Each structure stands twice: as structure tokens, then as C-alpha cells.
Amino acid sequence: MGSVSYWQAEAGVADAHLLRERITADVAIVGAGITGVALALWLARAGLRPVVLEAREIAAGASGRNGGFLLGGTAEAYAAARERYGAERARRIWAYSAGNNALAVELASELHERGVETGFARNGSLRIALAEAELEEIRQSVALLAEDGWKAEMLDRADLPERLRATYLGASYHPLDAEIQPARFVRGIAALAVEAGAVFYDHSPVLAIAEDANGVQVTTPEGMVTAATLALVTNAWLGESGALLDAEWLARVITPTRGQMLTTAPVADLGLSCPCYADEGYQYWRQLPDGRLAVGGWRNHAIANEYGLDE
């Protein structure tokens, strides 16, 4: 079952472009989320001809259904990442995410210069502690981030916005983090990719994938793309894509898992100047410029109920 998120509805309905012919490409990309459109952009700017196939619309999946946070690091605190992966690998992961964040900021700036509104704002983010153990982990993370050259600041309970003090114990502030309107952002990147030479076809689900000496053939209801290289960037639907390749093992790579979000009517200013996430990342929220609250998470209260592709 499909649905429409607040971000997707706010971005409006784009014109459909179905594949209705047989064409060739350097790279056939299946999936027009953030990964697919970014891959198309960089390939096109490198002089290749990518063709993107999307079963629904651009940013129809998780790329148009998330909190719109641009954060450094991973879902777990830096101290936990150091313990899990070791100091050197944790630094590399953080550096990778910081580089990715910087690229996103560059693209948001480029789109802004062209008059494309992406909702980008760089006000940092708060990682907030709900329990004493989480607060101690955040303190350790701030110290380790400083040791490794990353910017972060520790906030005590009294430093939190007034609305949060009754529930939460303290937080770390990350000044380089930002926020976006995710559906508009992904559509904007797709527009840059088209300008660079990429071709997009939406409402063109892939029905079959075959390989021969000429490369790979990707078949849709009314057309086909023949390409030297295939990129499957279908995220939660990777298992279904793998079935078309007779690679059932791909279904074990990613377990589709929902995250619930809601958006309120406009409310008074709550003093929440940046994206916030708490309880090990299971709670997250931000107040939008028009006063609406975008609130998500709490999945840890019913994790077993949140597996699957049903939106």
C-alpha cells in the first residue's frame, strides 16, 4: 500500500515521464531516491550518459519520508562507534559522513543560487539524553570528537530549550549539521543531473533484468534500456530487485523497516532552533519555519511491528 508524506505533498506532483522506447545508456540506474539521483548527477558531470528508472516518482520512498536531517556520524553515538569499530575505523566513518554532509551543503547552495527552494538551513543539531547512561555516552563522545578534531559542544540540562528540561538530561550540540526539505532536495538534485545529461523515466517499473555480451538489458512495461553497467539503488526494495537478477541473497542484505513520522498544524514557537534527536536516535523532531512540528521515531516501542514494505 502506498501513501503520500507531508514532504511529498508539499513539493507537489511532478509531470510523469514514462519510458516508451528502446534506448542505450552507459549506466542504467534503478531507483530515484537520494542515492540514484546523486549517482546520476556525478556520472553525468563526469561525461557519461546515465538513465534512471523509477517505479513511482522521484523521492517516492525513504528519500521523501525522512526527518530531513543532515547529520554527521552514524545513528549511534561516537563513543559507541569507537567501541564497535575501533578508533581508526570510527574516525573514517565520521570523516566519510562529514564529507557527504559537505557535498549535500554544496548542492543545496547551488540549487539556492538557481532559485530552487530546498528548505536548507544550517543551525546544527542536538543529540539529547533521555537516561543517565545515554548522557554519559554523549559526554564521552564529545570528548572523543574533540580529540579527533570534530566540532561538538556539551550542553547540561539547564542549557536545553525550556520545553525539553523536564524530560531530558543534557545534550551534545553539533554546529555543522543542517536540515532540508528532503523531497524538494532530491528533486533538485535530479534537475541538476538532467541539466548535466542524465535521463529520468518515472512510473516505469522494472519487470526484468538480463545480461549478455552487450551488457545488461532492463525491461519496463513499455520500453527497455541496454547499458554497460547496472546500478541497483532501490534501498528497501533491494530484495525485489535481486529477484529479477535471480540473486535472492540480496533480500538478506537489507531488512525493510518503517519509521513513523507525523507533522502537526502550526503551533507557537517552542524554542527548538535546530533538529533534535534523543533516546539513542529513536526520537527525533524539528520545528519548521511555518511553526509545524515534524516528529518521528519511537519505533523501539514496537520494533516487531515495523518490518516490511507496507507504507
Side-chain angles (χ1 to χ4, degrees):
M1 183 181 72
S3 64
V4 178
S5 75
Y6 170 77
W7 307 120
Q8 292 161 346
E10 196 271 340
V13 179
D15 294 334
H17 299 88
L18 282 69
L19 176 62
R20 290 194 167 111
E21 58 184 327
R22 290 173 174 255
I23 61 173
T24 60
D26 294 314
V27 182
I29 301 170
V30 180
I34 181 65
T35 306
V37 301
L39 177 59
L41 172 63
W42 300 123
L43 288 175
R45 287 185 171 178
L48 297 175
R49 184 174 185 271
V51 169
V52 182
L53 299 173
E54 167 58 46
R56 294 186 287 176
E57 305 87 26
I58 294 172
S63 293
R65 302 174 183 274
N66 57 76
F69 293 13
L70 290 177
L71 308 180
T74 64
E76 60 190 351
Y78 194 58
R82 291 256 303 224
E83 184 174 345
R84 178 190 294 268
Y85 305 115
E88 178 56 29
R89 183 169 293 179
R91 279 194 293 269
R92 288 170 55 201
I93 292 171
W94 192 280
Y96 176 82
S97 73
N100 190 59
N101 196 328
L103 284 174
V105 171
E106 288 179 13
L107 288 173
S109 176
E110 182 177 351
L111 289 167
H112 178 74
E113 291 174 357
R114 295 166 182 250
V116 178
E117 178 54 52
T118 64
F120 173 80
R122 188 171 230 172
N123 297 317
S125 73
L126 288 177
R127 186 180 199 107
I128 307 172
L130 181 63
E132 288 289 350
E134 186 178 12
L135 180 63
E136 179 55 30
E137 186 176 65
I138 287 175
R139 288 190 188 280
Q140 294 175 11
S141 296
V142 169
L144 291 170
L145 285 166
E147 180 181 304
D148 288 345
W150 308 108
K151 293 182 179 180
E153 178 184 346
M154 189 67 204
L155 303 181
D156 294 325
R157 191 174 209 159
D159 301 319
L160 295 178
E162 183 177 357
R163 295 272 182 164
L164 304 180
R165 294 173 199 163
T167 304
Y168 302 101
L169 307 179
S172 55
Y173 175 65
H174 303 266
L176 296 182
D177 289 345
E179 57 195 280
I180 54 170
Q181 205 283 29
R184 287 188 179 277
F185 183 59
V186 175
R187 287 190 188 180
I189 297 173
L192 293 177
V194 169
E195 183 180 296
V199 180
F200 283 74
Y201 294 100
D202 53 19
H203 299 280
S204 300
V206 173
L207 302 181
I209 301 172
E211 294 180 274
D212 63 19
N214 297 318
V216 61
Q217 293 81 44
V218 185
T219 303
T220 68
E222 299 183 55
M224 177 185 289
V225 179
T226 299
T229 303
L230 171 68
L232 293 178
V233 287
T234 50
N235 198 12
W237 291 268
L238 185 60
E240 294 184 355
S241 303
L244 298 176
L245 280 169
D246 195 25
E248 300 291 347
W249 61 271
L250 282 176
R252 299 191 296 272
V253 174
I254 291 179
T255 301
T257 309
R258 283 181 295 272
Q260 307 292 352
M261 285 200 69
L262 62 85
T263 305
T264 72
V267 298
D269 184 2
L270 300 180
L272 306 175
S273 60
C274 66
C276 303
Y277 51 113
D279 192 16
E280 308 291 350
Y282 281 113
Q283 302 174 10
Y284 48 94
W285 61 88
R286 51 187 279 218
Q287 188 160 23
L288 306 181
D290 67 356
R292 296 175 187 270
L293 281 175
V295 184
W298 281 266
R299 185 170 55 85
N300 52 331
H301 291 276
I303 286 180
N305 296 332
E306 297 300 344
Y307 295 120
L309 290 169
D310 187 352
E311 292 164 358

